[in-house]
Amino acid sequence: MCEKRNQPFDLLVSGRAGIDLNATKTGCPFTDIPAFSKSVGGSPSNIIIGAAKLGLKTAFIGKVSRDGMGEYIRSVFEGLGIDTRGLIYDKTGARNCLAILEVISAERSGVYAAVDEGIFHGTYLYREGTADMLLERSEIDEELVAASRAVLVTGTAFSLEPSRGAMFQILEYAKKHGAMVALDLDYRPSGWSSREETAECYQSILPYCDIVIGNREEFDVIEYLSMPDNTSNQRSAERLLEQGVGTVIVKDGKNGSWGYRPNETPICRGVIPTKALKTFGSGDAYAAGLMYGILNGYSLGESIEMGTANASLALSSGISCSDSMPFREAMLEHWKKNRTCWGE
């Protein structure tokens, strides 16, 4: 599927690069957490770190604060061999986005907003006016995009200008230079002004996409204006395939995930039974594993399995998302050991 074989980079990711503060004690509320550990955070950062740990040649485009936090992010990326020439320091005084991770229970760990009038517990997000959303079109390095076999962007980076324009510039360069384009829908309601705006924006991204990855809620957002009553994963995929997308991945929680391509039988792969320490970060690990499989010439079914295996390890390996991303040997061993889950 990816024909640009001899490029310096297998995968270029762009979007949010921030800081996670991870609870060092779980099973208790914020009041009782004695300390926090730091790690690089943000879905695109988790994906690129995951891809680098799996052995892909990687690069990142984004903007970080011109302070110790931004310097830390750059240091972590470079320590993993991720090319950072596209990682720009902000000059306006904006700070990095921040997530503080409280884990009272694994089941509730992925909650980002209050669902009632009681005291909220979950992940505390600070994302307004942050450096990552100030990336501009003029700051995108065309040569870096041209040097990449595949480009992956996430939906959140399209939620506000000037970041939205910068993401479209990346997509335009990717198409110009023949790079595969993958979109992880990564829908976060708090970043958008309305569902109508979100649906319209996602629809304008789709013509650039070779791969679209999302869960049921995220596909509902894409279809908010065009198919508001649809609940069928297959119909969602068929609609995107009709629009020219080459591969559609629908993640369906405990039911596993589905892969769709034109004129091919849909592929379903269930989950690997996992004792999860948390629920957040699994989608990022899944995307890294999926892209590893696709870029290394594995079948769609095998690539989905690798994404599933990578997510399983990430969920059971610690609280930090990026630090829990598995290395290639561990992922491949876990994948091979669990292929019986899919009757193979």
Side-chain angles (χ1 to χ4, degrees):
M1 183 175 177
C2 189
E3 298 179 357
K4 296 178 68 177
R5 292 284 179 183
N6 299 313
Q7 297 299 94
F9 303 108
D10 297 312
L11 182 64
L12 167 70
V13 176
S14 183
R16 188 170 60 249
I19 301 293
D20 285 353
L21 296 180
N22 312 289
T24 57
K25 181 181 179 181
T26 61
C28 62
F30 190 91
T31 301
D32 299 324
I33 298 171
F36 293 82
S37 64
K38 71 178 184 297
S39 61
V40 175
S43 181
S45 297
N46 294 335
I47 293 171
I48 202 64
I49 287 173
K53 285 186 172 183
L54 292 176
L56 293 179
K57 296 176 291 183
T58 52
F60 192 86
I61 290 178
K63 182 173 280 190
V64 293
S65 56
R66 190 160 55 95
D67 57 18
M69 287 189 175
E71 186 178 51
Y72 166 69
I73 293 168
R74 180 181 292 273
S75 174
V76 170
F77 280 177
E78 292 177 348
L80 291 167
I82 300 167
D83 190 287
T84 59
R85 76 187 74 175
L87 186 63
I88 299 167
Y89 284 124
D90 173 72
K91 297 178 181 179
T92 70
R95 301 304 184 192
N96 279 107
C97 56
L98 178 67
I100 302 176
L101 308 178
E102 170 197 68
V103 181
I104 292 180
S105 67
E107 295 75 21
R108 285 188 52 80
S109 61
V111 178
Y112 297 101
V115 294
D116 54 40
E117 295 182 357
I119 298 296
F120 169 71
H121 292 284
T123 298
Y124 308 108
L125 300 176
Y126 299 87
R127 289 180 175 167
E128 292 186 8
T130 51
D132 58 293
M133 298 304 293
L134 300 180
L135 186 67
E136 299 184 10
R137 271 184 177 266
S138 61
E139 294 172 317
I140 304 303
D141 185 339
E142 181 176 358
E143 292 184 0
L144 188 56
V145 179
S148 305
R149 294 174 61 201
V151 170
L152 185 147
V153 293
T154 67
T156 300
F158 289 86
S159 61
L160 289 172
E161 293 287 2
S163 176
R164 180 183 297 178
M167 293 303 108
F168 275 110
Q169 184 66 77
I170 291 172
L171 296 181
E172 290 164 12
Y173 284 153
K175 283 304 181 185
K176 176 181 176 181
H177 295 285
M180 176 195 296
V181 172
L183 170 67
D184 189 318
L185 295 176
D186 185 37
Y187 172 62
R188 308 295 169 89
S190 60
W192 297 85
S193 62
S194 68
R195 279 208 160 200
E196 289 82 2
E197 181 209 19
T198 311
E200 290 173 357
C201 185
Y202 275 128
Q203 286 295 331
S204 66
I205 302 168
L206 294 177
Y208 295 93
C209 296
D210 299 294
I211 302 171
V212 174
I213 308 165
N215 58 37
R216 182 65 254 164
E217 178 190 4
E218 290 167 334
F219 282 98
D220 288 344
V221 173
I222 287 182
E223 299 164 1
Y224 182 70
L225 298 176
S226 58
M227 298 193 302
D229 298 323
N230 179 55
T231 59
S232 165
N233 291 340
Q234 181 157 339
R235 182 64 191 117
S236 295
E238 289 172 348
R239 183 63 178 267
L240 267 61
L241 296 177
E242 291 167 1
Q243 293 176 263
V245 177
T247 300
V248 179
I249 304 294
V250 184
K251 299 177 292 183
D252 199 8
K254 294 180 180 180
N255 297 318
S257 53
W258 290 80
Y260 301 85
R261 283 178 175 167
N263 304 314
E264 294 184 13
T265 301
I267 295 170
C268 180
R269 293 292 187 267
V271 299
I272 296 173
T274 301
K275 187 176 181 180
L277 300 177
K278 60 183 186 294
T279 57
F280 48 79
S282 61
D284 304 334
Y286 182 99
L290 176 79
M291 294 306 295
Y292 172 86
I294 290 173
L295 289 166
N296 279 285
Y298 287 93
S299 70
L300 180 58
E302 290 169 330
S303 299
I304 292 173
E305 292 167 10
M306 289 178 177
T308 303
N310 216 43
S312 170
L313 288 174
L315 287 176
S316 59
S317 300
I319 299 305
S320 164
C321 292
S322 59
D323 291 346
S324 299
M325 294 291 163
F327 285 95
R328 176 172 53 196
E329 293 75 14
M331 183 277 284
L332 291 175
E333 180 181 355
H334 196 53
W335 169 56
K336 292 173 182 176
K337 184 174 69 175
N338 287 282
R339 298 203 77 194
T340 54
C341 291
W342 307 295
E344 297 183 34

